[in-house]
Amino acid sequence: MLAEIDKRHIWHPFTQMRAWCDPAHEPLVLVGGSGAVVWDAAGREFIDGNSSIWTNIHGHCHPAISAAIAAQLGKVHHVSFLGTTNEPAIRLAERLVKACAGSPLTRVFYSDDGSTAVEVALKMALQSWQLRGHPERTRFAAFDNAYHGDTAGAASLGGLGAFFDRFAPVHFRPVRVPSPADLEAMPAAEAGRIAAVVIEPLVQGAAGIRLWPPGTLRALREWCDRTGALLIFDEVLTGFGRTGTLFACEREGVWPDFLCLAKGLTGGSLPLAATLTTEEIFSAFLGEFEELKTFFYGHSYCGNPLGCSAALASLGLFESENTLGNLQPKIGLLADELGALASSPRVKDIRQCGFIAGIELQAAPGRDLDWRAQTGARVCAEARNHGLLTRPILDTVALIPPLCIEPAQIRKAVAAIAAAIATVLPGR
Ligand SMILES: *Cc1c(COP(=O)(O)O)cnc(C)c1O
């Protein structure tokens, strides 16, 4: 019944709707969740192996996050951030800056999702150069296979051809670089026109869980310091403990000029994003009204008090539940469990960065799968029969569980993938 209405009226993201609407397809209608588990109306339970598209941190319906949202619901749902302010947004900004202690990041600009967090950084970077007397710095450097969101500005940076190439006529063109090492070869004249470099720290998620070599962020920071370009870290996926530290960039002791946060910011409860920047960037925008230095940018729901309350509760849980401390042995367990899959002739590669893992499948050693056969999707569909909900990126099965997942659930999740691979790609 519900599924039929869905098929009649809804257009799902990143979804081939002909296959979705096929009478044989039974959409999974989720009705509840607790901890790392979600369930449907029939009571079928699934481990949320994809953290509900990389957003969930402390588990579903965590009572502390529910209580924080409920308390704010009784006060006010939303008030404008243009011309007025509110307590949850103020407290969250202070808390986020504290989370970046030791960094030059002191200013918080709120928006709604990962794409807008990146848009904000792009426009701030561009305008800051105009205001600081370098209008020639108009180009953005972005990496092969990058993913920074789907709005036109963020998508312009994207390096995944299948998603973005068709929109090229309306995108701006970044300076596309294969890897940070290639920036070294950039002629000084060209480097002098770069407004900012943008990177997903440690791991490119949407590219299929691709890991950067250690030292990448440090090298990038040095190149930016040398050439004057600003540095944008898109931690929309990697933020909030996903890689083992609160922010991925802590692992290399490097801070950007812009830090983009979204997905896990509210623990996976409400849409909210933040772009953090430095006092140096901020102060370039200060002036008399008629100087028109103002950052003329914003969204209706900037600084939404419900989202900010949820985010404060989520950050509080990192302390009260020792989330990062408890996570470390679970990262090791995940590595051990995945290690047992590595010997399968159907597994080409296993890539893991903290609680972000990808299992790349192959037809046989030395022989890749034909992506058109959607083997990754079929493995994930089969994994549901073993109680695991997750998504592939082509033929890489992603396993990105909530940080609260329990050891037994980690074992069950990896076992479900192993069983699904054995069913979809039989014969060893
Ligand atoms: C998901 C993602 C985005 C886009 O975030 P949305 O909330 O989907 O707009 C941007 N950058 C990275 C690295 C992401 O993983």
Side-chain angles (χ1 to χ4, degrees):
M1 175 60 187
L2 275 178
E4 272 164 35
I5 303 172
D6 178 298
K7 289 182 182 182
R8 203 172 320 131
H9 293 301
I10 292 179
W11 191 339
H12 287 267
F14 282 92
T15 300
Q16 176 41 256
M17 291 302 292
R18 178 191 280 177
W20 177 275
C21 294
D22 189 293
H25 173 238
E26 289 176 37
L28 183 57
V29 184
L30 296 169
V31 300
S34 176
V37 168
V38 290
W39 54 83
D40 69 2
R44 285 189 300 170
E45 286 196 356
F46 305 91
I47 294 170
D48 187 358
N50 206 32
S51 291
S52 293
I53 200 68
W54 311 351
T55 60
N56 197 282
I57 302 288
H58 306 291
H60 290 276
C61 293
H62 192 293
I65 295 177
S66 297
I69 296 170
Q72 185 59 38
L73 280 172
K75 295 176 185 167
V76 68
H77 297 184
H78 184 61
V79 286
S80 175
F81 223 48
L82 291 67
T84 61
T85 190
N86 69 78
E87 178 170 354
I90 294 168
R91 298 233 178 269
L92 178 60
E94 183 184 44
R95 187 68 192 70
L96 286 171
V97 169
K98 200 175 122 211
C100 299
S103 84
L105 301 167
T106 52
R107 289 281 165 181
V108 179
F109 192 98
Y110 290 116
S111 62
D112 310 321
D113 52 47
S115 306
T116 56
V118 172
E119 296 280 351
V120 168
L122 292 180
K123 295 198 175 182
M124 276 184 181
L126 190 69
Q127 185 171 339
S128 79
W129 285 122
Q130 293 168 358
L131 298 175
R132 293 185 295 162
H134 285 282
E136 74 283 4
R137 285 196 181 262
T138 58
R139 313 264 349 243
F140 290 89
F143 295 102
D144 280 358
N145 302 306
Y147 179 81
H148 299 289
D150 290 329
T151 56
S156 296
L157 302 169
L160 296 165
F163 293 171
F164 302 124
D165 280 358
R166 70 176 67 253
F167 300 116
V170 298
H171 284 167
F172 67 77
R173 256 194 292 164
V175 177
R176 182 72 57 199
V177 270
S179 79
D182 297 281
L183 282 171
E184 299 292 339
M186 188 183 286
E190 198 183 343
R193 295 188 54 222
I194 302 288
V197 184
V198 56
I199 188 169
E200 298 154 80
L202 302 191
V203 51
Q204 291 183 315
I209 320 298
R210 294 188 191 215
L211 312 186
W212 290 115
T216 295
L217 299 181
R218 180 152 289 283
L220 208 50
R221 181 74 264 181
E222 280 166 15
W223 186 84
C224 287
D225 289 346
R226 210 171 335 119
T227 61
L230 296 167
L231 184 54
I232 302 170
F233 285 169
D234 174 354
E235 293 233 24
V236 171
L237 163 62
T238 54
F240 303 105
R242 197 64 72 182
T243 70
T245 45
L246 193 64
F247 302 117
C249 62
E250 292 172 50
R251 299 270 291 279
E252 295 194 12
V254 172
W255 292 100
D257 301 287
F258 298 94
L259 180 65
C260 302
L261 304 172
K263 290 191 169 101
L265 174 55
T266 62
S269 60
L270 288 167
L272 182 73
T275 306
L276 275 67
T277 190
T278 64
E279 216 57 28
E280 187 183 346
I281 297 292
F282 174 77
S283 60
F285 290 70
L286 303 178
E288 297 304 322
F289 176 73
E290 60 273 20
E291 290 180 88
L292 292 179
K293 291 182 170 181
T294 306
F295 188 50
F296 288 111
Y297 183 103
H299 295 283
S300 317
Y301 282 96
C302 278
N304 175 253
L306 292 171
C308 292
S309 298
L312 275 167
S314 176
L315 282 163
L317 286 172
F318 275 94
E319 280 164 27
S320 64
E321 293 193 342
N322 186 29
T323 304
L324 295 176
N326 294 336
L327 182 61
Q328 305 314 316
K330 292 193 278 190
I331 292 172
L333 174 63
L334 180 60
D336 290 346
E337 294 292 308
L338 289 173
L341 283 183
S343 59
S344 163
R346 305 304 199 190
V347 172
K348 179 178 179 182
D349 192 19
I350 294 176
R351 298 178 288 273
Q352 181 187 355
C353 176
F355 249 27
I356 304 172
I359 301 118
E360 186 172 357
L361 306 172
Q362 63 185 1
R367 197 153 58 83
D368 282 342
L369 292 155
D370 182 345
W371 64 272
R372 285 164 292 204
Q374 300 186 69
T375 310
R378 286 191 287 131
V379 167
C380 291
E382 176 59 22
R384 285 188 191 183
N385 297 329
H386 300 273
L388 175 70
L389 197 57
T390 193
R391 269 181 74 83
I393 302 162
L394 294 178
D395 289 322
T396 296
V397 175
L399 185 57
I400 305 178
L403 308 192
C404 71
I405 191 172
E406 288 174 7
Q409 293 172 317
I410 294 175
R411 292 192 188 92
K412 186 177 168 192
V414 177
I417 293 172
I421 293 172
T423 302
V424 174
L425 294 169
R428 314 214 135 211

